[in-house]
Amino acid sequence: MTKEKFIVRQIKDYIASIGGYAIKYPGGPYSERGVSDLLCCIRHPLDGYGLFVAIEVKVPLRGIVSPAQKRWIAMAKSYGAVAFVARSVSDVERELSLAGFLPVDERGKLS
């Protein structure tokens, strides 16, 4: 079974590969409940504006999104962020494509 930590690392590497930055939000007794696992900034390939992306990472099949996590995702979206649940890098690629943030090559051209 895939561990969430492994999926988080893959997603962070993917975000970095497209010129973005991602941090892992530390969960624990002193953390705000429901905050997504990865908080990211990604620059739009065409206009240069940044985008805040919140990614709740879950393992395939058995990862369950809590009510607090669902509320946090909805709140982030209400402020204009792209926020979603991802179980793989493919989920991240799909959501960023839907948001218009497509990967670019090293010359800044759409891939």
Side-chain angles (χ1 to χ4, degrees), residues 11-12 15-16 20-24 38-41:
I11 293 171
K12 283 183 75 174
I15 296 294
Y21 181 75
I23 62 165
K24 171 77 171 87
L38 291 175
L39 305 177
C40 317
C41 292

Side-chain angles (χ1 to χ4, degrees), residues 19-37:
Y21 181 75
I23 62 165
K24 171 77 171 87
Y25 185 80
Y30 302 107
S31 298
E32 184 176 333
R33 292 176 49 99
V35 176
S36 294
D37 293 312

Side-chain angles (χ1 to χ4, degrees), residues 40-77:
C40 317
C41 292
I42 301 172
R43 185 176 307 217
H44 193 281
L46 299 178
D47 64 20
Y49 287 102
L51 175 72
F52 176 72
V53 179
I55 305 170
E56 180 59 42
V57 180
K58 295 294 179 191
V59 294
L61 303 177
R62 60 187 174 100
I64 297 171
V65 183
S66 74
Q69 291 165 334
K70 289 177 184 176
R71 284 191 301 275
W72 205 90
I73 289 169
M75 182 273 306
K77 286 180 175 181

